[in-house]
Every structure is written in structure tokens, then in C-alpha cells.
Amino acid sequence: MKKFFILLPLAFLFAYCGKSPEEVKKEEGKLELSAPEKVELAKKSLEIGLVSDAKKLFSEALPQLNKAECKDGKIGKTCLYCDALYGKFLADFYATLGLLGQLLEQLQKEEEKQTSPIYTKQSDPLLSQSVELILGKLLEKIDSQRKDLQTIIQDNCEFSSSATVSLKLLSLNIVIPARSEEKKEFLYSSLFAKTNYAILSLLAGVIDILYSQNYSVSAKEVFNLLKEIIKLSEAGKSLVEIIPYTGDFFAKNPEFLTQNNNRVNLWGKSAKDFSESLSYLSQVISDVSEGCKSNKTNEATFLTLNSIFSLLPVNIGDFCGLLNIIGESIEKFSNLLSRWSKGFSGELKCNYEEDQGKRKIKRFAEDGCIRFPDDITKILSIGGILSNLLPPVKLSIELGALFSVPTPDSPKHLRALLPLTTKQGDKFVFVIQVEPQGDVFSGMELFTLEKGAPEKIQEDISIPKKCFDIAGISLKPKIFIPFADPTFFGSLYFNAACKEDESLNVGNDEYFELPDNKRKGNFAINALISPILSLIIR
């Protein structure tokens, strides 16, 4: 439970303050600092790590500055307005990263202590309220930063500063944009703003979905689950052996991860955020490619990318060197991201056809669908080789179905994407089969948690094990997971075939098909993910 109380400060970290303007004025012996003086003091504060002071001063100076007074009437790095605007974002952004780094470091220390959680009755309402408060505040913070970035990009602002921030992820220590013993200044161009807008939009989309759900939960059950996980971990159990035991937690908390009808609009908003993320990422890839050719070595984006690349276990050179190897595929990948962006926004429709009551999507088309692995393999020079290494199953994602705004009659509960459960004594456990002796998913009672409380599945979803054999390839262990909704809200269309049981076949070489029952759906999705899981989990 200590982890939970460590998370609580996150709900309040977004409103902390710095040195007051009165203290600054007193030090300078003035009644009021001018806007240029505030910007200059803010830049110095930012460079020595006083990010809250810097944000306050930049924010105070910004309304007093007129962008029309910039050099030659243009917005640019010599403009005080841009300094205040970009500086305000950086101070806010670096403060958030700094506090996130401190939180992750503290969580790691608590993990090393292996302390068992302690339950108190007062924790019941506090837990769910804290989770929702954290998600709401985090989304508000990210959307505020994205608004600043939009203005920076629109005005083509630049900013120079020697400020850096350090973020520890596990054993890695990432410095943004780069280490600098000489405290030299880095150039923050509109490219850095676009890159961060793409990342923050992606995070906003994920949080939109999480915040659209309910987190009503018994704190006692959370503590019991944490104690069980610690106990199993200390006994040397693997992740595949531990995950099934979390099923009983979801069974005893039927409202957890169900749709919150007061925030259903956030599910639809996530599609817009993902669309903007991909659109800006497409621009970033093109701009970075051009920047590599012009050797912009002091720009913050390139420095950050090279800083991250230097931490990789394999030495593959700098980021620009990698782009040179990829070559012509860069432009194709940028265009692909742009098309996917239009699919998320609805500008390009993912068109399906009705054929004798079955929904189908054309295998080869340039529309708003995401096709895997076809979209990737056809733009890479090694696409043919890569295609032979991937599972033979093909997948198409119909974004309109996945991101349509939920309704009370057609809800989108995240728990619908959970595995099916079975009973083990008086507890419900998620089904994860490793090298089953007979048919996959046979010989057991199965229950779904997708609507809340456990409901028994009447449909037989057993699948011949030979359906998952891949010609010429032997992968072990073979891992299989039955999903409550293997089509993910009717958005996943497949092309998968089983010679042992043709009734399981979905799609063909010309079309993807939406599985019309749980058995077909679970065959198709497991034919896709089982080889991948076998490679990842050993």
C-alpha cells in the first residue's frame, strides 16, 4: 500500500509554486520588474533548475510582450515574446519530468523493500478517488502544455537555453536534451515543439481512455492482491504464473474498469488526440530527415535522440546514421503515419462491406484502416524477409468501430478486453494456457467479466492445437489466452485459416473478415499473438 500513498502527491504536484515576484523585486531594489527583466531572470532560473520560479516569471512577462514587436515583424528566436512563450512551456515540462523522475525513483526504492501493504478501512473511498483525481489532473496538465506547444509551432518560435532535465527509467539515466559539462546553450526549435506535441498527444489519448472508466474498488481487495503478488513473486513464480491470480480481483470488483457515463466523450476525444500525435510524428520524421542533411547538431531534438540512442545496449551510431541506413523508407513511413492519422480523425474511412451477413474489409486498399503487417512490410526494403518471420495471420483495425463514442446501450468497458476466467476452488483465475495437452481452451468452465460480475460462457470455444502450427517453425512454449471480446469492440478483422477445422477460417487472400463468434475470434487472435508471446516469454 505504500506505493499507493506515494502516488497521492501526483494529484497535487501540478500546482506547486516558486519564488514570489515580491522577493525578486526586493533583491533588485525595484518596485516592479519590466517584462524584459522578468524574461532574463526567468531564463537564468530555468538554467539553474529553479523551474517553478522560471515558469512564474515567464507567465507574468508573456501578457506584457507583443509578438508584433519581434525583429522584422516576424516571430523568431531573437524575440522576447518567443523567449517567454517557449520558456514557460519548458519550465512547466521540465518540472513535470523532474517530479516524475523523483516519483519513479521512490517507487523503485519501495519495490526493493518488498513491504507488505497494510489495509485500513479509511482507504476504501480514498483509493478510487485518488486514481481519478490523478488521471484528471494529469490530463489537464498535458492538454495545457499542448496548447502552449500549438502556439509555439504556429508562431515558429525558437528558444536558446542550457537547461537540462534528468529522468531515471530503471537503470537508464536519460538527460534531455543532452549532458553538457560546459553549460552550453541548446537550440529549441519548432521541431522540438512538434516532437513533444506528438508525444504528449499520444499520452493524452491513452489517459482519455483510462479516465473514461470507473475505478470503484475495494481497497481491501487491492491490498489482498498486492500481498498475493508479493508472495508469489518471492516463491519464484513467473509472470505467466502470477497474472492468472489477478482474475479474482476483477471478479470481486465488478465496477472496476467499466464505462463512466459522465465521461464517455473522452473515448471519442482519444481518437482526435491519437490522430494529432500521428500527424505531428509524420511531420517530425520528415523534418528530422531534412535536419540530418543540413547537420543541425545543436538542435535539442537531435541531441535528445542521440542521448537516448547512446543508452542502447547495441552500438548503432547516432540517429542520423540510422536514418541514412533506412533511406527511402523514411518518406514512405511518414506518408503511412499521415494516412493512419486521417483514419483516426475520420477524414479517411475504413470501408467495410456486408456479404451474406458477414463484415469484410478489402485486403489491399489505401483507406483509413490499419493493416498489420501489410502496411509495414510494403514500405520497408526488407519487407519480404520480415513478412516471412511474422505469423501468417493478417489483421485490419477498423478505427471507426474502435473509437466511436460509447453509449449506455453500447458501452466500452475496458474490462471487456480482459481474458476469460475459470474457477479454481472458490476463486476466479484468468485463463493462460501454456503447452496444453489436448485442444486449446477445452475441458474447463469459462466465465466472462466483460459486463461486471462473472457470467458463464455457454459457447464452446475449444480449438484444435494443430490450428496453431506454423509450417517449418517450432516455437515453445506455446501460450494461449482466450479473450472475452477478441474483436475489441468489433474493430479487429482477420485473415486466418485452420486446415484442421475449416469452420474456424476467417477472411481470405482478398478480404479481412470480422469474426462472428468468440470461437473464431479467439482462434484468429491467438494465431496472431501466440507466436509473438512465445518469443517474448521464455
Side-chain angles (χ1 to χ4, degrees):
M1 188 53 192
K2 286 192 175 183
K3 291 182 181 180
F4 161 63
F5 287 110
I6 294 167
L7 286 172
L8 286 179
L10 259 182
F12 310 102
L13 67 83
F14 306 106
Y16 76 99
C17 301
K19 188 188 298 184
S20 70
E22 286 72 22
E23 289 177 296
V24 178
K25 287 184 286 187
K26 185 177 179 181
E27 291 172 2
E28 297 290 330
K30 297 181 179 181
L31 294 176
E32 184 65 50
L33 293 175
S34 66
E37 288 172 325
K38 287 180 179 179
V39 171
E40 186 62 28
L41 183 58
K43 290 181 73 173
K44 291 178 180 178
S45 298
L46 179 62
E47 289 172 354
I48 61 175
L50 299 176
V51 287
S52 57
D53 296 359
K55 180 186 175 183
K56 191 175 186 68
L57 288 165
F58 280 132
S59 299
E60 288 177 355
L62 192 56
Q64 303 170 35
L65 298 169
N66 186 352
K67 63 182 178 182
E69 296 176 356
C70 293
K71 186 178 180 181
D72 298 327
K74 298 179 181 179
I75 310 300
K77 63 181 178 182
T78 58
C79 176
L80 281 173
Y81 164 81
C82 276
D83 282 350
L85 180 63
Y86 217 138
K88 172 177 173 284
F89 162 74
L90 275 182
D92 193 18
F93 182 59
Y94 280 3
T96 304
L97 286 180
L99 286 165
L100 177 61
Q102 293 175 25
L103 173 70
L104 292 174
E105 188 175 357
Q106 187 61 37
L107 282 174
Q108 188 173 355
K109 289 179 180 178
E110 291 299 319
E111 182 71 26
E112 292 169 357
K113 291 180 182 178
Q114 290 285 313
T115 307
S116 295
I118 301 172
Y119 168 70
T120 61
K121 192 171 180 61
Q122 291 77 6
S123 305
D124 274 341
L126 188 61
L127 185 57
S128 58
Q129 290 171 11
S130 296
V131 171
E132 294 189 10
L133 180 61
I134 289 168
L135 289 174
K137 288 292 184 182
L138 188 56
L139 185 59
E140 182 182 326
K141 167 62 64 178
I142 289 174
D143 283 343
S144 173
Q145 291 179 349
R146 289 168 68 210
K147 186 177 180 180
D148 287 342
L149 286 169
Q150 280 183 319
T151 307
I152 291 168
I153 296 166
Q154 178 183 331
D155 291 339
N156 195 28
C157 280
E158 294 185 349
F159 181 74
S160 294
S161 174
S162 62
T164 62
V165 66
S166 177
L167 182 63
K168 288 186 178 180
L169 294 174
L170 301 177
S171 60
L172 302 179
N173 187 17
I174 301 172
V175 179
I176 301 174
R179 297 183 185 278
S180 175
E181 301 298 334
E182 303 85 12
K183 286 292 181 181
K184 65 178 181 180
E185 288 194 340
F186 308 110
L187 172 65
Y188 293 89
S189 70
S190 59
L191 175 57
F192 187 80
K194 288 178 183 178
T195 305
N196 281 282
Y197 191 89
I199 295 170
L200 290 177
S201 295
L202 176 63
L203 289 175
V206 172
I207 296 171
D208 286 334
I209 291 174
L210 294 176
Y211 195 36
S212 71
Q213 304 291 295
N214 286 312
Y215 291 89
S216 300
V217 65
S218 164
K220 184 176 182 179
E221 294 300 332
V222 174
F223 304 141
N224 289 339
L225 175 63
L226 291 175
K227 286 192 290 186
E228 184 73 13
I229 290 174
I230 291 172
K231 178 182 175 183
L232 292 169
S233 179
E234 290 176 341
K237 298 291 184 181
S238 67
L239 186 63
V240 173
E241 294 172 305
I242 292 174
I243 289 176
Y245 290 96
T246 64
D248 202 53
F249 168 78
F250 286 92
K252 291 179 178 177
N253 293 276
E255 292 184 28
F256 186 66
L257 293 187
T258 57
Q259 175 180 296
N260 185 308
N261 291 328
N262 294 322
R263 297 194 290 265
V264 291
N265 63 305
L266 289 176
W267 192 283
K269 175 180 175 290
S270 68
K272 178 177 179 293
D273 290 337
F274 288 137
S275 173
E276 291 187 351
S277 176
L278 291 173
S279 177
Y280 274 94
L281 186 56
S282 173
Q283 296 176 44
V284 166
I285 289 173
S286 296
D287 291 351
V288 166
S289 181
E290 289 300 316
C292 285
K293 295 174 184 177
S294 58
N295 197 28
K296 291 186 176 180
T297 57
N298 197 42
E299 203 278 330
T301 309
F302 295 90
L303 292 169
T304 302
L305 290 171
N306 287 331
S307 177
I308 294 172
F309 265 55
S310 68
L311 299 173
L312 296 178
V314 180
N315 184 10
I316 56 176
D318 62 14
F319 188 75
C320 288
L322 177 64
L323 292 189
N324 289 332
I325 296 173
I326 297 173
E328 63 182 18
S329 297
I330 290 296
E331 184 178 353
K332 293 179 181 178
F333 187 53
S334 176
N335 292 336
L336 176 63
L337 293 178
S338 179
R339 178 163 68 80
W340 284 355
S341 170
K342 292 175 182 177
F344 274 99
S345 69
E347 183 178 343
L348 278 179
K349 299 297 182 184
C350 182
N351 299 313
Y352 63 83
E353 302 173 9
E354 293 280 357
D355 181 14
Q356 297 180 347
K358 296 181 179 180
R359 286 191 176 186
K360 296 181 176 181
I361 290 175
K362 286 184 179 179
R363 173 84 184 276
F364 303 101
E366 295 290 321
D367 58 15
C369 298
I370 293 179
R371 292 169 172 81
F372 179 83
D374 294 345
D375 281 346
I376 301 298
T377 55
K378 70 184 180 184
I379 67 172
L380 296 176
S381 57
I382 59 170
I385 299 174
L386 182 61
S387 182
N388 292 330
L389 296 176
L390 292 169
V393 179
K394 313 299 181 187
L395 167 72
S396 180
I397 305 175
E398 206 262 281
L399 297 172
L402 184 58
F403 290 100
S404 60
V405 178
T407 65
D409 294 330
S410 181
K412 284 189 167 71
H413 306 313
L414 276 183
R415 64 191 292 127
L417 308 183
L418 294 171
L420 295 173
T421 61
T422 190
K423 292 207 76 175
Q424 195 174 88
D426 61 347
K427 293 186 176 182
F428 289 90
V429 295
F430 286 131
V431 176
I432 299 180
Q433 288 193 311
V434 181
E435 292 291 341
Q437 296 300 313
D439 287 350
V440 179
F441 310 139
S442 65
M444 66 182 79
E445 276 190 320
L446 294 173
F447 299 82
T448 176
L449 306 177
E450 56 189 307
K451 295 179 181 178
E455 293 181 14
K456 187 176 178 180
I457 295 291
Q458 302 299 329
E459 179 184 352
D460 176 21
I461 67 166
S462 60
I463 302 165
K465 191 175 179 180
K466 286 188 176 181
C467 285
F468 301 103
D469 289 343
I470 302 175
I473 299 177
S474 178
L475 292 173
K476 288 189 177 184
K478 288 184 178 178
I479 300 170
F480 305 100
I481 304 173
F483 290 92
D485 180 6
T487 68
F488 285 26
F489 309 117
S491 68
L492 302 187
Y493 291 63
F494 297 91
N495 170 21
C498 172
K499 292 181 180 180
E500 296 293 318
D501 186 347
E502 292 186 358
S503 68
L504 289 169
N505 292 356
V506 287
N508 52 47
D509 289 341
E510 297 295 326
Y511 285 92
F512 297 100
E513 182 184 325
L514 180 70
D516 54 10
N517 58 58
K518 276 184 168 59
R519 184 168 182 259
K520 276 188 179 181
N522 273 299
F523 158 64
I525 198 168
N526 275 276
L528 176 68
I529 69 171
S530 180
I532 299 172
L533 291 175
S534 298
L535 290 173
I536 296 173
I537 302 172
R538 292 283 177 176

